[in-house]
Amino acid sequence: AQTMNYIKSLGLIPGQKAELEPMQSTKEEFIKFIATGKEEELSTHADHFVTNSAYGVASYMKGSLCLFELKYICGDEAFEKGMLSYYWKWRFRHPNPNDFFRTIEQASDLELDWFKEYWVYTKKTIDYRVDTCFEKDGQSVIRLKRIGLFPMPIDLKVNTDKTELNFTIPLDIMRGFKKSKELKVLDPWHWVNPIYEFRIDIPLKKIKEVRIDPKNQLVDIAPENNVWIRNED
């Protein structure tokens, strides 16, 4: 009865597929915990955490979100290939974190040591924003800004009056990019540079919206600044 009540509360009917991202609530709770200032590095030994809550968040939330972010970085196909390879290679054995990340690197053909360093050994946060959009020489210039100190590749959607354009901006330290038929690959973002600009051969008046992370996969602590909307005035 409780299960049926929960299903009804979501506006679903039995047999209907739930259009919910199972990691979104985990992501939101993790971001709330970061705001308390109690987070500790994921690499902290279990006996050395200052609070039980920090240990629980690191072990369960940040641990699971590590996989969520790797899937975003590598793409679905490469990530799933890496996870399957990791299982078959290390089942019934004793891998360490380096073994895991190396397996995902081999499957995706990307360098991921930078992600491991930031995610496991620091508390640095992800925060990007659409800084501004303007027109130059008949083209639209889109300027993005990295506010947080955790660099990440960026997926971006541009809605025009007639179509939808989807891009991915890899980091140069990835030494590659995720493979996707849906995304046009732009020039890499130099990871130390807080500003990134690119042009679209479309007048600014025809662009309706520019949105960072349209599938809501980044653990971005301030997603409200991820969108630019054209002022109709």
Side-chain angles (χ1 to χ4, degrees):
Q2 290 180 339
T3 301
M4 287 303 298
N5 288 336
Y6 175 68
I7 290 174
K8 290 177 181 179
S9 72
L10 298 176
L12 303 176
I13 59 175
Q16 181 181 18
K17 183 179 178 181
E19 297 297 332
L20 299 175
E21 169 53 64
M23 292 301 297
Q24 290 306 321
S25 60
T26 302
K27 185 177 76 169
E28 292 167 6
E29 290 302 314
F30 177 62
I31 291 172
K32 288 179 183 178
F33 188 77
I34 289 175
T36 68
K38 295 180 180 180
E39 184 198 2
E40 299 179 47
E41 290 83 357
L42 188 58
S43 57
T44 305
H45 192 281
D47 291 346
H48 296 175
F49 278 90
V50 175
T51 65
N52 289 334
S53 58
Y55 168 71
V57 167
S59 300
Y60 297 98
M61 287 189 182
K62 195 168 186 180
S64 62
L65 287 170
C66 178
L67 302 182
F68 188 60
E69 295 303 88
L70 282 172
K71 187 176 182 181
Y72 166 77
I73 294 168
C74 301
D76 293 356
E77 185 176 343
F79 176 76
E80 291 168 7
K81 177 183 176 182
M83 291 296 289
L84 187 61
S85 175
Y86 179 67
Y87 167 75
W88 284 111
K89 184 175 182 178
W90 291 103
R91 68 193 189 282
F92 311 126
R93 299 170 66 188
H94 300 282
N96 61 42
N98 290 332
D99 297 320
F100 170 73
F101 281 101
R102 182 57 183 149
T103 303
I104 303 299
E105 283 185 327
Q106 291 171 335
S108 63
D109 199 26
L110 299 174
E111 288 197 16
L112 299 170
D113 56 333
W114 58 273
F115 177 77
K116 182 189 71 174
E117 290 295 320
Y118 277 93
W119 192 265
V120 177
Y121 298 105
T122 80
K123 297 185 293 182
K124 293 178 180 178
T125 56
I126 302 167
D127 185 11
Y128 282 84
R129 81 177 182 206
V130 182
D131 196 48
T132 188
C133 299
F134 58 94
E135 187 170 317
K136 186 174 183 179
D137 301 327
Q139 295 180 315
S140 295
V141 180
I142 297 174
R143 178 184 295 161
L144 310 179
K145 185 172 184 179
R146 175 177 54 78
I147 302 170
L149 296 178
F150 195 135
M152 285 288 279
I154 296 298
D155 287 354
L156 190 82
K157 181 172 71 173
V158 178
N159 284 328
T160 73
D161 290 335
K162 295 183 178 180
T163 188
E164 178 181 292
L165 307 173
N166 291 283
F167 304 95
T168 187
I169 306 169
L171 290 175
D172 56 352
I173 51 177
M174 292 166 57
R175 306 287 187 248
F177 52 89
K178 71 177 171 184
K179 311 303 187 293
S180 172
K181 296 179 181 179
E182 301 174 357
L183 303 173
K184 179 180 179 181
V185 182
L186 298 178
D187 291 337
W189 188 329
H190 186 39
W191 68 280
V192 298
N193 194 337
I195 300 294
Y196 181 93
E197 287 186 358
F198 71 99
R199 293 189 178 197
I200 300 178
D201 195 18
I202 298 173
L204 187 63
K205 65 181 181 180
K206 294 186 178 295
I207 292 181
K208 298 172 62 177
E209 179 183 290
V210 177
R211 183 176 295 274
I212 291 173
D213 185 29
K215 294 185 178 180
N216 203 20
Q217 295 173 294
L218 272 179
V219 183
D220 189 313
I221 63 170
E224 63 274 6
N225 61 19
N226 286 2
V227 61
W228 174 91
I229 299 175
R230 184 179 69 201
N231 189 342
E232 298 293 347
D233 296 338

